[in-house]
Amino acid sequence: MNNVSVSVRDLSLSFGAVTVLDTLNLDIKNGEFLVLLGSSGCGKSTLLNCIAGLLDVTGGQIFIKDKNVTWEEPKDRGIGMVFQSYALYPQMTVERNLSFGLRVAKLPQAEIDKRVARAAEILQIQPLLKRKPSELSGGQRQRVAIGRALVRDVDVFLFDEPLSNLDAKLRSELRVEIKRLHQSLENTMIYVTHDQIEALTLADRIAVMKSGVIQQLADPMTIYNFPENLFVAGFIGSPSMNFFRGEIKDKGGRKVVEVNGVDFGMEAYPARGSLEAGRKVVLGVRPEHVKVDESVSGMEVHDAVVDIEEPMGADNLLWLKHAGQTMSVRIAGSRRYAPGTALKLSFDMAMASVFDAVTENRI
Amino acid sequence: MDDTVTLKGQAAHAAARRLAPGPQGKKPRPMFSPRNIMIYGALIFAAAYYLLPLYVMVVTSLKGMPEIRLGNIFSPPLEITFEPWVKAWSSACTGLNCDGLSRGFWNSVRITIPSTIVSIAIASINGYALANWRFKGADLFFTILIVGAFIPYQVMIYPIVIVLREMGLYGSLTGLIIVHTIFGMPILTLLFRNYFTSLPEELFKAARVDGAGFWTIYFKIMLPMSLPIFVVAMILQVTGIWNDFLFGVVFTRPEYYPMTVQLNNIVNSVQGVKEYNVNMAATILTGAVPLIVYFVSGRLFVRGIAAGAVKG
């Protein structure tokens, strides 16, 4: 247990008759960057607020550094928190914003000055210390908000969608900064977001949540390539995974997924169990796991016709009708195909995912 | 400086050369268009409608009684006299006392200031607790408080008289101050609760993570952001309590009567001649305080809102 920083056990939370979290379990390792990912209303922010102590749990326990903090006040949990709306105190200067918590805790002035100076240096906000929050840009404000967590000298950082209020350019800049901060501080960080790019780029592990339940907890590449169920598969990836509803059939000793009369051979697919014939399934293939006009041995080759072309610079996205479905294929930006062009699709079945049509779990 | 001016001038010249002949720039609008006549006509009429009685009061209060008896209430005073104002303030008779409104003025001050401060202090803490610390039964508490606002005052007068009597406070200024404080509670609590609810909740959460408790958050975070709503509450309370007549006459003794009650006694005294000029002066004096409060803090109020609009 020594390696565990934050541990959530059988956590439940309900508001009246509405259950938001139901016996949720989660262990976060020391120094780990964990991202809670999900669409709005999935309970990810609620979980974070429970860990912070801003919401009273209905049942279960929360441990931080092996200490049961289920009923502790937020300030006694050893956490720092960064909010989406920055939540800087508008009437105080940046310096006083940073030092507010320390002054409340009645730390000696010399210690306060030292910690504020250090945080300001790490985040490069020294020139802003005398300014009011209203005189700062969005990116500067969020930096100050991170600084406020930094001066608390805590083990665990909690981020509640910290970049959602920033424009796209600033968001990617600060994303890199947060990653750098994590690399240099090596603190435990729990980060809530609905943005899958942030999740994939920042996380050591991602917990994908839906209606209060963790759907999958794994490192980003596993989540991306081997989604545990249909929801995770559809939630991660842009454009999203191509789904084909079909049925497993045995054709002359060869296992295939038949979709509207088109057969996808399953020889290369790393199935967990047996693919018994007659089972209704959903076959998922990511747009970049389909090659166009490149014959690689062992791949499933089908004929298709281009419907729409979307050049995106680095990539080129082709939309086509195949096996009665609309699907997308991602190819290099330099390769262009006019609508109506006939081409050959090669499906990399080793990277495909097959889900049971009823349970929606990976087979 | 000169350089920029010439640069601008050149740019303007260049622009003028590019433009085709014909209409350009701001569209001229005639001053006496039908639209303007309608708007200003209506505004001037409405203003005159409300200002005329005030004009009559001011004019009458500056006339001597012989002039008033001539009957031209709209005519300006031929001989301006401040005698009625002095009399209204210091020597008009209410029953046996003949020391004018001054005593009532000081009574009203002694009632209004503590009532306003105490009611705003309590109501702001109520509103803060209801908005941010959702304690058990908060909704029920709030509902009861709001229902209280809908019960007519008159229903509660006699029970309050009994309660004050039992507490030994009936007829005292303290008793009246308590009554004003309690009756201000529902509307002020609602006002503060709604204001604090409108402040971003994350600020409150951030302060809690920073380790601030109930009072630290109230004084260090909430109060500095709430100047506008405190000014609104102050205007409401000062005007309401100063203008109150019913509670003043019911819950106090004659030596503690507020200004409004004393004004009524001066105006309605039946002995001797009706001194219209003194009555008018007394009425203006009584109404002056809420007006001054409004004009002074109304400006502060607007400034407060403007300062709050720049989001932090």
Side-chain angles (χ1 to χ4, degrees), chain B residues 6-29:
Chain B
T6 43
L7 275 176
K8 267 187 196 162
Q10 282 170 356
H13 275 296
R17 262 183 274 123
R18 275 201 306 277
L19 291 174
Q24 55 166 288
K26 199 176 162 199
K27 187 178 177 185
R29 288 191 186 281

Side-chain angles (χ1 to χ4, degrees), chain B residues 19-54:
Chain B
L19 291 174
Q24 55 166 288
K26 199 176 162 199
K27 187 178 177 185
R29 288 191 186 281
M31 206 175 0
F32 292 102
S33 65
R35 182 167 152 268
N36 279 3
I37 291 172
M38 282 297 290
I39 291 175
Y40 288 101
L43 288 175
I44 290 167
F45 177 77
Y49 184 83
Y50 283 100
L51 283 176
L52 207 59
L54 184 65

Side-chain angles (χ1 to χ4, degrees), chain B residues 222-233:
Chain B
M222 295 299 175
L223 269 196
M225 295 200 304
S226 314
L227 180 68
I229 203 68
F230 273 89
V231 175
V232 170

